């Protein structure tokens, strides 16, 4: 049956394109991907931006981000569906084997960092509500998160996240309803902002802030490869398009801004403060809502961390181990970071890695838009280790040039830092476009 592989034939295709007969139906892939739309992170980042730049500026930034993400991901999703390639395989073509190894390393490290954040939220919620010691609560979260990704994306994660989706929506609406019932409604949340008023042009800062999580573009590519070619339009427009980001960013963001203005969070707005406020307001139902929201997105974080860790080991060390081993390794690394209290360092690492991710997206977009449909077929047929260059100077050069330009502005700080991600994108696009003609057909090293 198409989209279903049984027993020993069930593969995750980390080192080869997903064959057409292993693709998923529309609804299963949509449900698997829409696990990414629920997270306390989306509520908190919007609330934090509203506090820093004003609620109206944050909302404008959210709307612009929905549009930008929809446009970029429509291109990436169609290419992934046509080729069946993973981020790792596609990176071999864009950057060469060496560059692909670095890109895959950045990808799985970023997924692990997000798994640490989201898992810590659940662990702290368990600690607060049930009185469990944090190491025990974290261990419980890691063990069941690893167990969830033992089942493949084709046969398990779509069902699991499909069942939880309506409960997330109900929980979000219940949180808003109870907040209104307990503290009353006021439109003051639309005026939320810094002392002294919202800065002029704050919407730009809010828009650029969401470029910091363009790793979702790489998430999109790794999920979209399981789509059927006849469903490419549906997935580009709906599954990975504006409706998804209207929920993930805009709906969650509006809820986050409202809750931040309505719930007593002790003055500070963070994932932890919002979670504790929700548990205080909703009790066991609040704990259930937090568990659903964080577990859904962590299925994606753990799955993509394990898949790309496996691909990194295959590309770099020619090391082939079962997927279950990489899932367990991911769990061990996540637990160690949860115990190490390295959040400040992780935040800085994410800021730097985010610039490299924006540069990767820029190179990928330029490659796709300049190669045409026939080029996509070439990509699908020539992504093996034997057929890709050790170093693709054009792609790797554009990637590093874009990232380097962005890092310079990021380190400079101040107003210049708000242009780091956009400059990264522009430089990487321009750099790769200059050499696009050399990228038509990957050659053996």
């Amino acid at each position: 049956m198409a989209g279903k592989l049984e027993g020993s034939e069930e593969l995750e295709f980390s080192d080869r394109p997903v064959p057409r007969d292993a693709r998923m139906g529309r609804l299963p892939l949509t449900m698997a991907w829409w696990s990414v739309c629920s997270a306390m992170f989306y509520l908190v980042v919007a609330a934090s931006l509203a506090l820093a730049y004003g609620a109206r500026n944050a909302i404008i930034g959210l709307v612009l981000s929905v549009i930008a993400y929809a446009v970029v991901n429509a291109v990436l999703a169609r290419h992934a569906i046509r080729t069946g390639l993973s981020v790792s395989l596609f990176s071999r073509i864009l950057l060469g084997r060496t560059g692909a190894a670095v890109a895959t390393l950045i990808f799985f490290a970023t997924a692990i960092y997000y798994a640490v954040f989201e898992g810590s939220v659940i662990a702290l919620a368990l600690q607060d509500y049930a009185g469990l010691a944090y190491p025990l609560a974290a261990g419980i979260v890691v063990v069941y998160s690893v167990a969830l990704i033992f089942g493949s994306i084709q046969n398990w994660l779509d069902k699991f996240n499909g069942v939880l989706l309506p409960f997330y929506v109900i929980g979000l609406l219940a949180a808003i309803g109870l907040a209104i019932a307990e503290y009353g409604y006021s439109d003051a949340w639309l005026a939320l902002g810094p002392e002294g008023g919202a800065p002029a042009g704050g919407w730009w800062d809010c828009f650029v802030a969401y470029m910091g999580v363009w790793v979702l573009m790489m998430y999109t590519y790794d999920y979209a490869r399981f789509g059927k070619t006849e469903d490419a339009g549906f997935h580009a427009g709906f599954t990975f398009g504006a409706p998804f980001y209207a929920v993930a960013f805009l709906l969650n963001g509006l809820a986050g801004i409202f809750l931040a203005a309505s719930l007593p969070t002790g003055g500070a707005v963070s994932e932890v403060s919002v979670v504790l406020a929700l548990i205080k307001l909703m009790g066991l139902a609040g704990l259930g809502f937090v568990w659903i929201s964080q577990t859904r997105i962590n299925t994606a974080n753990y799955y993509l961390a394990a898949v790309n860790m496996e691909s990194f080991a295959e590309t770099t060390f020619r090391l082939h181990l079962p997927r279950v081993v990489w899932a367990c390794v991911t769990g061990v690394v996540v637990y160690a970071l949860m115990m190490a209290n390295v959040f400040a360092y992780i935040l800085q690492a994410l800021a730097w890695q985010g610039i490299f991710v924006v540069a990767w997206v820029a190179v990928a977009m330029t490659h796709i838009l300049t190669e045409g449909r026939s080029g996509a077929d070439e990509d699908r047929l020539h992504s093996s280790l034997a057929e890709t260059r050790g170093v693709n100077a054009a792609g790797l050069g554009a990637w590093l040039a874009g990232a380097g330009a962005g890092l310079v502005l990021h380190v400079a700080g101040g107003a210049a830092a708000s242009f780091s991600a956009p400059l990264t994108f522009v430089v990487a696009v321009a750099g790769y476009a200059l050499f696009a003609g050399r990228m038509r057909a990957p050659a053996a090293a």
Side-chain angles (χ1 to χ4, degrees):
M1 179 179 178
K4 298 290 184 181
L5 298 177
E6 303 298 338
S8 61
E9 295 183 74
E10 184 179 290
L11 300 173
E12 291 291 354
F13 316 109
S14 63
D15 201 43
R16 63 187 179 94
V18 180
R20 301 296 167 85
D21 61 356
R23 303 299 180 91
M24 300 170 67
R26 285 188 178 188
L27 184 60
L29 181 56
T30 300
M31 288 298 97
W33 170 246
W34 277 54
S35 66
V36 183
C37 76
S38 64
M40 288 294 109
F41 172 81
Y42 298 134
L43 278 72
V44 172
V45 71
S48 299
L49 291 173
L51 286 168
Y53 302 105
R56 287 179 171 81
N57 279 331
I59 293 171
I60 293 172
L62 282 167
V63 172
L64 293 175
S65 295
V66 169
I67 296 170
Y69 272 73
V71 170
V72 172
N73 283 312
V75 175
L76 294 178
R78 286 181 182 276
H79 188 267
I81 291 170
R82 286 201 300 267
T83 63
L85 298 177
S86 64
V87 165
S88 177
L89 295 178
F90 189 30
S91 295
R92 289 180 190 172
I93 294 168
L94 296 176
L95 312 172
R97 295 191 300 272
T98 300
V102 177
T104 306
L105 172 62
I106 290 174
F107 190 9
F108 84 68
T110 302
I112 284 176
Y113 293 164
Y114 282 120
V116 171
F117 280 116
E118 308 303 347
S120 295
V121 170
I122 308 175
L124 289 169
L126 285 172
Q127 181 185 40
D128 180 73
Y129 185 83
L132 298 178
Y134 179 76
L136 175 59
I140 292 172
V141 171
V142 169
V143 168
Y144 83 69
S145 297
V146 170
L148 285 175
I149 64 168
F150 284 168
S152 73
I153 184 175
Q154 297 105 311
N155 296 329
W156 164 243
L157 292 184
D158 59 325
K159 299 178 180 64
F160 178 75
N161 288 307
V163 168
L164 291 185
L165 178 59
F167 290 100
Y168 173 75
V169 175
I170 292 170
L172 185 62
L173 295 176
I176 294 172
L178 287 174
I180 294 173
E182 181 72 18
Y183 303 107
Y185 175 79
S186 169
D187 62 1
W189 66 280
L190 290 171
L192 190 67
E195 293 184 11
W203 61 270
W204 171 256
D205 296 274
C206 295
F207 172 73
V208 171
Y210 279 93
M211 292 187 75
V213 287
W214 271 27
V215 71
L216 287 175
M217 312 298 193
M218 300 176 91
Y219 277 43
T220 290
Y221 200 91
D222 259 1
Y223 269 71
R225 63 194 172 121
F226 292 100
K228 295 180 179 180
T229 53
E230 60 266 30
D231 295 332
F234 173 82
H235 290 311
F238 181 82
T239 304
F240 304 101
F244 171 80
Y245 287 102
V247 174
F249 289 171
L250 190 57
L251 176 62
N252 283 322
L254 292 174
I257 296 171
F258 174 78
L259 291 173
S262 303
L263 298 179
T265 58
V269 174
S270 66
E271 288 193 66
V272 175
S273 66
V274 171
V275 163
L276 297 183
L278 284 173
I279 291 176
K280 182 178 180 181
L281 176 68
M282 301 173 69
L284 181 60
L287 178 64
F289 172 63
V290 171
W291 179 83
I292 289 171
S293 69
Q294 304 307 94
T295 297
R296 276 169 48 79
I297 194 168
N298 251 357
T299 59
N301 291 330
Y302 274 79
Y303 168 75
L304 292 174
V307 167
N308 285 279
M309 188 183 295
E310 178 185 15
S311 185
F312 174 79
E314 291 175 345
T315 300
T316 307
F317 306 111
R318 306 297 194 270
L319 179 61
H320 299 272
L321 295 174
R323 174 65 45 77
V324 65
V325 173
W326 297 114
C328 293
V329 171
T330 298
V332 170
V333 174
V334 169
Y335 185 77
L337 290 175
M338 290 174 74
M339 293 297 102
N341 193 25
V342 292
F343 292 106
Y345 301 102
I346 288 178
L347 286 172
Q348 186 59 40
L350 282 172
W352 286 59
Q353 289 174 198
I355 291 173
F356 281 93
V357 169
V358 170
W360 183 91
V361 172
V363 171
M365 286 284 289
T366 310
H367 175 82
I368 293 168
L369 293 176
T370 57
E371 69 168 357
R373 183 176 293 273
S374 61
D377 293 334
E378 288 294 312
D379 290 345
R380 179 175 58 84
L381 294 172
H382 301 288
S383 61
S384 67
L385 283 172
E387 293 187 88
T388 48
R389 298 181 177 98
V391 172
N392 188 322
L396 189 59
W399 186 46
L400 294 178
L407 288 173
V408 168
L409 289 189
H410 178 74
V411 172
S418 68
F419 293 92
S420 60
L423 180 65
T424 295
F425 188 83
V426 171
V427 171
V429 167
Y432 190 78
L434 291 175
F435 302 102
R438 303 179 186 181
M439 297 291 295
R440 298 303 183 191

